Amino acid sequence: MSHSHKLVIKRSSMSRPPPPPPTTNKDQQHQNPSLQEINIKLIQSGEKERLKELLRERLLECGWIDEMKALCRKKGRNNVTVDDLVHVISPKGRASVPNSMKAELLQRIRAFLASTAD
Amino acid sequence: MSGPNEDNNTQLSSHIFGDLLDSIIVDVASECHRIAKLGLDRNLEEEEEEMRLSAQARARVADPSNSSETNTKYVVDIFGQTHPSVATEIFECMNCGRSIAAGRFAPHLEKCMGKVIPISSYHISICLYLSIMIDSYYDREFCAIP
């Protein structure tokens, strides 16, 4: 088989669909270092994990996860890689998050950012 | 107040949210991949029926108006305690992670692991061992670097 058994770490470091195109914000140069810093603070404080669990719980409640699993099942069993499945569900997945849920998470993230501002 | 800092925060938040969502997408894809490769979804409807029966069993025991029926099967142990006919403790199946009432555990394992397993601590150890073997098989076959 030529194609991919290429996972090294199961849950992260996957090759993912390309991120959304960068904005034309002229301050973009300054964003990347601060994003790294924020990520470190998120992880060290445990907030990243809490946020992820909150999002997962909400997505479960509204049936989003079941929808994604149904999409995966449709793809079939033969010769599917995790990459394939990620590509199958990412567009629909990203697009079908309810706005209220997204707002709730964004609110919490912003609160975290505010609390860590120097 | 407002201005570049606010815009920055908004963008950061969106990016962080996107990261979280992508991470959950990968988790879901991984889980579906595992289920597909290990053939655990063959009896999906039966499993859902299983969960329904499990919930029913718990409800039956919890319902006080049923006590006259179920009492005929109650056994008094040496401490004078009675035990319900359907054991209601909830366990997490070590194979699929579902929450199952103890009284429904044997039929669930039968479907979950594809074989008939009488419950005894010896057999539970074997189930645990098998479940670990299945996981490491999955890791070797589908997650290793070529």
Side-chain angles (χ1 to χ4, degrees):
Chain A
M1 269 201 193
S2 59
H3 53 264
S4 33
H5 300 306
K6 58 185 176 189
L7 288 186
V8 177
I9 302 169
K10 261 197 282 188
R11 287 185 170 252
S12 58
S13 314
M14 289 286 317
S15 66
R16 299 176 185 174
T23 63
T24 53
N25 185 348
K26 64 182 180 206
D27 285 332
Q28 200 177 328
Q29 300 270 335
H30 301 287
Q31 279 186 25
N32 276 339
S34 65
L35 178 62
Q36 276 188 8
E37 288 168 14
I38 295 290
N39 254 326
I40 289 170
K41 286 184 192 171
L42 273 172
I43 293 169
Q44 285 183 339
S45 65
E47 183 69 2
K48 186 153 209 185
E49 194 62 33
R50 282 190 290 270
L51 286 168
K52 187 174 170 183
E53 284 314 304
L54 174 62
L55 181 56
R56 185 186 278 126
E57 190 182 316
R58 293 277 181 265
L59 291 172
L60 189 66
E61 285 168 357
C62 74
W64 182 95
I65 291 192
D66 292 329
E67 273 180 50
M68 296 302 116
K69 287 189 175 177
L71 282 177
C72 290
R73 280 199 293 272
K74 265 194 218 152
K75 181 77 182 157
R77 196 190 306 270
N78 298 319
N79 291 335
V80 271
T81 65
V82 180
D83 259 1
D84 291 338
L85 293 177
V86 169
H87 281 81
V88 162
I89 64 178
S90 279
K92 180 94 200 289
R94 286 183 189 149
S96 63
V97 179
N99 284 329
S100 57
M101 188 184 302
K102 188 166 176 179
E104 182 188 356
L105 267 293
L106 286 176
Q107 168 89 329
R108 236 181 105 153
I109 294 169
R110 271 196 292 261
F112 178 82
L113 293 177
S115 75
T116 61
D118 293 327
Chain B
M1 296 289 300
S2 59
N5 213 29
E6 274 301 301
D7 295 336
N8 203 26
N9 263 4
T10 303
Q11 263 177 341
L12 270 177
S13 309
S14 287
H15 194 114
I16 290 168
F17 175 81
D19 272 354
L20 291 173
L21 189 60
D22 283 343
S23 165
I24 290 178
I25 284 174
V26 169
D27 289 350
V28 171
S30 298
E31 191 185 332
C32 289
H33 181 259
R34 181 178 182 272
I35 289 173
K37 291 302 179 184
L38 296 179
L40 297 177
D41 54 350
R42 286 189 214 281
N43 296 318
L44 198 60
E45 282 172 17
E46 291 177 35
E47 285 183 357
E48 279 157 2
E49 173 74 4
E50 195 54 56
M51 283 168 62
R52 199 178 59 80
L53 289 173
S54 202
Q56 272 186 357
R58 289 198 294 275
R60 247 198 327 273
V61 178
D63 187 348
S65 68
N66 278 341
S67 60
S68 56
E69 286 173 24
T70 53
N71 262 334
T72 58
K73 294 193 181 175
Y74 275 25
V75 172
V76 178
D77 70 12
I78 61 169
F79 300 108
Q81 294 178 323
T82 56
H83 300 276
S85 57
V86 176
T88 53
E89 274 187 73
I90 311 297
F91 292 99
E92 197 180 279
C93 172
M94 69 282 283
N95 190 45
C96 66
R98 280 195 162 86
S99 298
I100 309 286
R104 303 285 325 165
F105 203 57
H108 165 77
L109 274 181
E110 182 180 2
K111 299 191 176 82
C112 186
M113 307 199 62
K115 47 176 70 175
V116 177
I117 300 176
I119 293 299
S120 72
S121 61
Y122 171 72
H123 285 101
I124 291 211
S125 310
I126 299 234
C127 291
L128 197 54
Y129 174 78
L130 282 172
S131 151
I132 292 169
M133 288 291 109
I134 287 173
D135 275 350
S136 78
Y137 163 76
Y138 174 75
D139 278 352
R140 273 200 316 279
E141 290 300 308
F142 303 112
C143 302
I145 324 165

